Amino acid sequence: MDVTTFVAFLVPLLPYLAKGAAGAAEAVGKNIGSAVWDKAHAMWQALHPKVNSTPGLQDVLADVQQNPADEAARNALVYHMGKLFKADPALKTTLERLWQETDQQAVRTVIASGERAVAAGGDVNGTVITGTVVGNKERTGRS
């Protein structure tokens, strides 16, 4: 399991996971599916006690919850999660098992980071323009 991908999966769910499953399951389940929510919740149940007992990780997690788009905060979370996984191989194994049990087709993590970044959740065909087109320009297929 790639730590960056795991964090990208977890970050949008953090506000719901941190508050607990009461009521969140219904709201989130409608958007991502109950099976995915169940696995995310199970991962959080395994992870949460370690988060609370790991110095610095709670602060980083709070920073990411406050500003999920902050790339520096997300990178710090990736770093701290990587350290946690190295320090606790049993936790990493548990989370990897849950990750593998999650229907990977139901979970598609797409990250677009940086100016004019493009993220695609599937196949992309044709031209992708990330710049600003000024005026009525005709595409010739050349740069």
Side-chain angles (χ1 to χ4, degrees), residues 35-120:
V36 175
W37 169 253
D38 291 344
K39 292 299 178 188
H41 187 255
M43 289 177 189
W44 182 249
Q45 292 297 99
L47 186 61
H48 188 254
K50 298 293 181 176
V51 167
N52 286 338
S53 65
T54 303
L57 189 51
Q58 272 187 312
D59 293 337
V60 171
L61 207 55
D63 289 344
V64 171
Q65 279 182 271
Q66 286 179 344
N67 191 0
D70 183 345
E71 192 172 341
R74 289 172 76 116
N75 288 339
L77 183 56
V78 168
Y79 172 76
H80 282 279
M81 292 295 243
K83 281 180 59 175
L84 178 61
F85 291 166
K86 284 180 185 172
D88 191 341
L91 173 65
K92 182 179 181 190
T93 300
T94 299
L95 293 174
E96 283 176 337
R97 179 184 49 78
L98 290 167
W99 183 261
Q100 289 171 355
E101 289 174 3
T102 304
D103 179 7
Q104 291 301 312
Q105 292 184 351
V107 179
R108 186 170 300 225
T109 303
V110 179
I111 303 168
S113 178
E115 186 176 340
R116 298 179 193 250
V118 175

